[in-house]
Amino acid sequence: GDAGVLMVAMKQRYIRKFLHCVLFPSRVAKYFAKALHVCLTEVYVVLQLTYELSRQMAVLPGKKWIVMFLRLLVYSALLMPGFVQVAVFYFFSPRVKRSIVYGPNPRNRLDLYVPPGRRALGESLGENLPVTIFVTGGAWIIGYKAWGCLFGKVLSKEGVLVVSLDYRNFPQGRIKEMLEDVDRGIGWVVNNIHKYGGDPTNICLVGQSAGAHLSSL
């Protein structure tokens, strides 16, 4: 509700003030404070999603959730080399513009993946690249825009401008709020993607799992 939105806004504001005024008092260092704030925000969201997943698993009867959790850990460990490569690309590649704001609500952020060899992000590229909007899945409770990193990395190499949308998950929002966020994100892309060299008349919408459900409505 409105109280939850206010609490999130105040939390982010106080984090910025703490980083700017206590850890980084110099104006020259504000750039690093902003980068650290973005990183902490990303980590905070992922921790929230991890907690929500563990809470949902704990509802399972008996010790079944423990077995499922251990299986998940083994599965994650086997995939870890691939996860590390994708994470390095996501956080350090100049081809990724993270957390662009598209609306006023919490989680109204998107990631932008540009093809190799393009100019700086945020500038008009003077081109009309095809655009793909990717709405990530996550059972409506653990979805996150970074889950589209591998998709964005691979497809952008083929000359496509890829947008990965984030949106409010349950319990932060229900289907109505999720649809509102996805609709607003798509509208932002249509109205602003030309600034990044994208063609607003050549947009493909892709959804995965819960993201496919929301995209189809």
Side-chain angles (χ1 to χ4, degrees):
D2 294 337
V5 173
L6 180 61
M7 289 179 64
V8 171
M10 291 178 62
K11 184 183 301 181
Q12 293 185 348
R13 185 182 67 181
Y14 288 134
I15 290 176
R16 285 196 296 268
K17 283 187 176 182
F18 174 76
L19 294 175
H20 288 175
C21 300
V22 179
L23 296 181
F24 302 98
S26 171
R27 290 176 60 89
V28 179
K30 281 189 176 181
Y31 169 81
F32 298 100
K34 181 180 179 181
L36 182 57
H37 172 256
V38 170
C39 182
L40 289 176
T41 302
E42 303 277 353
V43 171
Y44 175 73
V45 170
V46 172
L47 289 176
Q48 276 189 315
L49 298 178
T50 303
Y51 168 75
E52 185 62 29
L53 177 61
S54 63
R55 192 173 67 86
Q56 294 293 330
M57 292 179 65
V59 177
L60 296 173
K63 299 180 180 179
K64 184 177 179 180
W65 72 271
I66 299 178
V67 176
M68 293 184 65
F69 182 69
L70 292 176
R71 289 170 60 183
L72 179 62
L73 288 180
V74 173
Y75 181 71
S76 300
L78 294 174
L79 295 179
M80 189 56 65
F83 286 160
V84 171
Q85 292 182 29
V86 173
V88 170
F89 173 81
Y90 181 74
F91 285 106
F92 299 106
S93 174
R95 290 170 47 202
V96 184
K97 177 73 172 179
R98 301 191 309 275
S99 298
I100 299 174
V101 178
Y102 69 78
N105 296 314
R107 305 286 296 275
N108 282 183
R109 305 289 186 271
L110 58 85
D111 293 333
L112 187 64
Y113 299 84
V114 297
R118 306 302 177 184
R119 290 193 298 166
L121 290 167
E123 300 177 5
S124 176
L125 305 178
E127 303 176 56
N128 288 313
L129 298 173
V131 180
T132 294
I133 301 174
F134 182 63
V135 185
T136 63
W140 303 277
I141 58 173
I142 58 170
Y144 187 47
K145 58 187 173 59
W147 302 168
C149 181
L150 182 59
F151 179 87
K153 178 183 179 182
V154 173
L155 194 58
S156 62
K157 287 179 66 176
E158 304 301 322
V160 178
L161 203 58
V162 180
V163 179
S164 183
L165 286 182
D166 202 7
Y167 53 90
R168 284 172 287 180
N169 287 190
F170 182 83
Q172 197 172 28
R174 296 182 181 272
I175 293 296
K176 179 182 177 181
E177 287 74 31
M178 297 178 197
L179 287 173
E180 178 184 313
D181 290 348
V182 171
D183 184 65
R184 179 176 283 113
I186 294 173
W188 184 95
V189 173
V190 172
N191 294 323
N192 293 278
I193 202 62
H194 67 279
K195 300 176 183 178
Y196 300 88
D199 183 358
T201 66
N202 186 9
I203 297 177
C204 177
L205 180 62
V206 177
Q208 179 260 328
S209 190
H213 166 248
L214 296 172
S215 301
S216 65
L217 297 177

